[in-house]
Amino acid sequence: MNDLISRLLAHERIRAARHHIERTDEVTLARQAALSAIPAPTGAEGRRAAHLAELFREIGLSDVSIDHAGNVHGWLGKNGRREAGEVGGPVVLAAHLDTVFGAEVDVAVERRGQRLEGPGISDNARGLAALVTVAEAMVAARVPVARPILFAATVGEEGSGDLRGVKHLLNGKHDVTPAAFIALDGAGLDRVIHRALGSKRYHVTFRGPGGHSWAAFGVANPANAVGRAAALLADLPTQQAPRTTCAVVRLGGGTGLNSIPQEAWLDLDLRSEDPRALAQLDVTVRAALDRAADDENRRRTAGSPTLRVEVQLLGDRPSGMTPRAHPLVKAAVAANRALGRDAELASASTDANVPIALGIPAIALGAGGKAGDAHLATEWYENVEGALGIVRALLVTAAMAEVG
C-alpha cells in the first residue's frame, strides 16, 4: 500500500489535484465559514443541503440530487453508473450536514487570523468544505477513476438523528453498495477511525399514582425509582476490554414541591465497540430498570397501585470494525506516512458505523487543521495544515477508486 500511495503522489493528475487543493486553500476556508453560517439542526438541514447541491453542480459533479431523506448526491466517473461486467460498487466520500445546535443558536462565524469561531465550524462545516474541495480538485484535474465516486452530504448524523441519512443511503433501495466508504468528520490529520463505537440510547419513564407529598406518602414514587435505577446503573462493573459504558445523561420529573410525581424519567447512553458486549449490556441495563421498579413497588403502601416502567429506544448506532489489515485502512495509514504524519488508529461514532455494520469497508477521517470546543457555542477551527488533511482524503479516495 505504501507503493500505491507513492505512485499516486507521482501521478500527473493527482499532482494536479493536490496543487488545486493547496492553491485554493483560502477558497475552502471561505466555503467552510459560509456553510457553518447556514443553520442545520438535526432534522432541519434543508437550507444547507440546497447550498451543497448548488456547490456540487458548480464544481462539475454529475447527476446531482437530493434524496427523500435529505442527503445530497453528486457523482464523478461514468455518470455514477456501473457498466455491464464492472466488478464492485462505487467509492463513497461523505460528510454530514447537521450540527448539534438548535434553531435558536446563532451560528454566525467570526474570523480572527487563522482561527474561525462559530458553532459547528469544525463539526462538520470542515468536513463538508473538504468534501467539496476533493470533488472540485478531482474534476478540475480530470483524475481518471476505475470506480465511480459518490460524493454524499448526509443528514441526521448527530445525536437524535441516529445516523438516519447514511442508513437511508445504504438501505439497499438506491443501488448503492460501496466498495469503500470514507467519512470526513471534523478537523485533524492523525486519527484513522476504523472502529465503530456503537450505542443504544433510551428514554426510561417510571409511572405511578402520584399524590400529595404528605397525604399520599407511601405510594410507589417514580422519583425514588429513578434514583434506585441510577444507583444500580452506577454500580455496574466497568468493562475495559472491550470498553463498554452505561451513562445516565439526563433525568427529571415531577410537578411541584408538595407533590409525589406521577412520572419521573432518565435518559441512558450505552456504548461499546463490540456488538456482543453492547447486547449483553443492554440485557443487564433492562434488568436493573425492572429491579428498580420492583424494589419501589415492594415498599409501597399495601393495596396502593403499582409503579410501572416504560423504555423507549431513542437511538441505535451499530458497532464493528474495519480490520487494520484491510486495504482501506492501510491506504489511510500509508497516506499519513507519505505526508510525514503518524497515524493513530481510533474508535468513534460516525457515519462510518453503518457501512461497517453492513460489512462494507469504512473509515472516518478528520479534514485537516485543528479544532476545539466541539459541540459548544465557542467551537473554533484553526487552519494549520488544513490543506494537508484534504490531500490525505484525496489520496485515500483515489486509492480506493483505482486511479489509473
Side-chain angles (χ1 to χ4, degrees):
M1 193 56 68
N2 291 334
D3 290 343
L4 173 59
I5 296 299
S6 296
R7 288 197 302 272
L8 287 173
L9 283 168
H11 192 290
E12 178 185 9
R13 299 297 184 187
I14 295 297
R15 290 206 320 270
R18 177 176 183 173
H19 177 66
H20 180 94
I21 290 168
E22 294 168 344
R23 179 172 53 82
T24 61
D25 195 29
E26 281 298 321
V27 174
T28 298
L29 206 59
R31 283 182 181 144
Q32 181 178 343
L35 285 163
S36 190
I38 301 172
T42 300
E45 303 96 336
R47 280 183 57 200
R48 189 176 284 186
H51 186 70
L52 253 295
E54 186 59 32
L55 285 175
F56 278 2
R57 293 185 185 100
E58 287 177 4
I59 65 175
L61 293 181
S62 62
D63 292 350
V64 175
S65 63
I66 299 177
D67 66 25
H68 291 301
N71 302 315
V72 185
H73 300 225
W75 290 88
L76 173 68
K78 304 178 186 178
N79 292 319
R81 295 179 176 85
R82 290 168 56 188
E83 295 181 347
E86 181 183 347
V87 178
V91 174
V92 176
L93 186 65
H96 69 86
L97 287 158
D98 58 324
T99 73
V100 299
F101 303 99
E104 75 285 354
V105 175
D106 182 0
V107 291
V109 177
E110 294 190 13
R111 183 166 184 173
R112 296 182 175 86
Q114 284 193 308
R115 176 171 285 200
L116 294 174
E117 297 179 359
I121 188 61
S122 174
D123 185 11
N124 192 32
R126 181 60 187 175
L128 291 169
L131 179 72
V132 174
T133 297
V134 172
E136 182 180 45
M138 296 187 81
V139 171
R142 301 190 305 279
V143 175
V145 293
R147 294 181 184 275
I149 302 172
L150 170 59
F151 293 89
T154 61
V155 298
E157 191 273 346
E158 298 287 6
S160 60
D162 198 33
L163 306 179
R164 179 173 63 89
V166 70
K167 287 177 179 177
H168 180 82
L169 181 67
L170 302 179
N171 66 7
K173 299 178 182 179
H174 300 89
D175 195 29
V176 176
T177 304
F181 185 105
I182 304 156
L184 299 178
D185 202 334
L189 184 56
D190 296 332
R191 294 207 307 165
V192 175
I193 297 166
H194 72 116
R195 303 192 305 277
L197 179 58
S199 65
K200 285 184 177 291
R201 287 155 178 171
Y202 291 111
H203 181 71
V204 181
T205 305
F206 292 91
R207 303 186 191 278
H212 193 280
S213 58
W214 170 262
F217 184 81
V219 301
N221 188 334
N224 289 350
V226 164
R228 296 182 194 282
L232 288 170
L233 296 174
D235 288 340
L236 292 178
T238 301
Q239 183 172 328
Q240 296 294 348
R243 187 172 182 227
T244 304
T245 63
C246 172
V248 177
V249 293
R250 290 189 299 189
L251 48 81
T255 58
L257 286 172
N258 60 349
S259 300
I260 295 171
Q262 289 184 299
E263 67 176 51
W265 56 269
L266 71 165
D267 287 346
L268 305 177
D269 184 357
L270 287 59
R271 298 192 182 223
S272 182
E273 296 176 5
D274 183 271
R276 290 170 297 182
L278 185 59
Q280 181 56 57
L281 176 64
D282 191 44
V283 171
T284 302
V285 165
R286 287 176 175 271
L289 297 173
D290 288 339
R291 178 181 168 186
D294 291 344
D295 286 350
E296 182 60 21
N297 281 329
R298 278 198 297 271
R299 289 166 171 78
R300 77 187 195 282
T301 300
S304 63
T306 58
L307 173 149
R308 66 185 188 279
V309 58
E310 299 173 2
V311 181
Q312 178 186 2
L313 180 65
L314 299 179
D316 187 358
R317 295 177 175 235
S319 55
M321 178 176 63
T322 301
R324 63 177 61 201
H326 190 277
L328 175 59
V329 180
K330 292 173 73 173
V333 171
N336 267 52
R337 185 177 297 116
L339 297 174
R341 299 297 295 261
D342 292 332
E344 174 194 348
L345 296 178
S347 168
S349 179
T350 70
D351 269 345
N353 283 41
V354 173
I356 287 174
L358 293 172
I360 297 167
I363 58 173
L365 302 172
K370 296 181 180 180
D373 290 356
H375 292 196
L376 298 177
T378 53
E379 187 172 351
W380 56 267
Y381 171 83
E382 289 184 356
N383 198 37
V384 179
E385 297 185 318
L388 207 60
I390 302 177
V391 170
R392 174 178 70 164
L394 167 71
L395 291 172
V396 177
T397 303
M400 293 300 102
E402 300 175 7
V403 169

